[in-house]
């Protein structure tokens, strides 16, 4: 059975008429900011203090858009008679966002939590060379990184926090004991 001539045109016009009667959902972007999901992927922020220059992020990046330069410094021994240590010092950390495909592998493989997703997405440039953000710019993005979601109230306390709390309680008990001993020696020494 062959279709009626012009039925496709009639169906198309019916769709157009239905759509014309509905309210538009277009957001006027510059005037109205979009509501982004809490952990949206916008730009990558660098927490430089945590970076140990292990180069894992640069090695695992499928686009090779992370550039890291460093040098070694010798650190004097912590105790007398100890041995000098060497450590890497970060000289340059840059991400070329014109190459980045926002896969997040660099953030996933970082063992020291030095890279984070920021929901900022307004960093367009007129020159493609300005899309290579150096470590100063990446550090600025850290201020826009949202807090991690709260832990489930029924979940057990993380091991790191439990160990830190236990150490803090032990130190507080030692200090309280020392203060009590000092107070007792002062009372016993004065007539």
């Amino acid at each position: 059975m062959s279709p009626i001539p012009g039925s496709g045109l009639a169906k198309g016009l019916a769709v157009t008429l239905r759509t014309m009667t509905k309210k538009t959902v277009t957001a006027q972007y510059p005037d109205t900011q979009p509501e982004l999901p809490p952990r949206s992927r916008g730009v990558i922020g660098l927490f430089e203090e945590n970076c140990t220059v292990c180069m894992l992020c640069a090695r695992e990046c499928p686009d090779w858009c992370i550039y890291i330069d460093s040098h070694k410094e010798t650190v004097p021994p912590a105790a007398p008679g100890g041995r000098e240590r060497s450590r890497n010092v970060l000289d340059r950390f840059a991400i070329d966002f014109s190459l980045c495909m926002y896969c997040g592998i660099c953030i996933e493989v970082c063992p020291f939590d030095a890279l984070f997703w920021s929901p900022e997405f307004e960093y367009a440039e007129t020159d493609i060379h300005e899309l290579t953000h150096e470590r100063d710019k990446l550090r600025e993005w850290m201020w826009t990184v949202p807090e991690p979601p709260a832990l489930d109230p029924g979940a057990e306390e993380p091991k790191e926090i439990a160990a830190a709390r236990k150490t803090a309680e032990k130190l507080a008990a030692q200090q309280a004991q020392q203060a009590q001993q000092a107070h007792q020696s002062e009372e016993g020494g004065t007539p």
Side-chain angles (χ1 to χ4, degrees):
M1 187 174 207
S2 63
I4 301 170
S7 64
L9 178 64
K11 287 180 183 177
L13 287 174
V15 169
T16 303
L17 288 173
R18 275 196 309 267
T19 308
M20 282 176 39
T21 60
K22 293 182 180 176
K23 186 178 182 209
T24 60
V25 292
T26 304
Q28 303 300 323
Y29 164 62
D31 301 326
T32 308
Q33 292 294 324
E35 288 188 30
L36 299 172
R39 304 300 285 175
S40 60
R41 295 179 175 190
V43 71
I44 298 170
L46 170 69
F47 189 53
E48 193 174 334
E49 290 77 17
N50 285 358
C51 183
T52 61
V53 195
C54 66
M55 307 287 267
L56 272 175
C57 55
R59 278 186 272 153
E60 295 295 326
C61 179
D63 290 335
W64 293 86
C65 64
I66 299 175
Y67 310 108
I68 300 174
D69 292 329
S70 67
H71 69 276
K72 288 197 180 277
E73 278 185 358
T74 56
V75 179
R83 146 187 121 151
E84 288 184 341
R85 306 268 180 190
S86 65
R87 69 178 182 107
N88 289 327
V89 177
L90 185 66
D91 292 329
R92 179 181 187 223
F93 193 105
I95 299 176
D96 188 352
F97 285 104
S98 64
L99 297 176
C100 183
M101 65 179 182
Y102 304 91
C103 63
I105 292 175
C106 56
I107 295 169
E108 295 290 325
V109 300
C110 182
F112 302 104
D113 289 335
L115 297 172
F116 295 91
W117 280 119
S118 167
E120 293 296 316
F121 62 93
E122 299 176 310
Y123 54 94
E125 299 289 345
T126 56
D127 185 13
I128 197 168
H129 298 294
E130 293 176 12
L131 281 173
T132 301
H133 293 179
E134 297 292 332
R135 71 183 193 184
D136 297 332
K137 184 71 172 176
L138 296 173
R139 187 181 316 121
E140 288 176 24
W141 293 119
M142 275 305 295
W143 295 107
T144 61
V145 173
E147 288 287 324
L151 295 174
D152 184 15
E156 67 180 54
E157 187 176 36
K159 294 174 188 167
E160 297 87 0
I161 294 175
R165 185 179 38 75
K166 194 175 192 181
T167 305
E169 288 172 356
K170 190 184 291 184
L171 286 173
Q174 288 175 352
Q175 289 174 350
Q177 186 180 16
Q178 290 173 353
Q180 186 180 19
Q181 289 174 353
H183 182 67
Q184 288 175 353
S185 65
E186 286 178 7
E187 286 180 358
T190 55

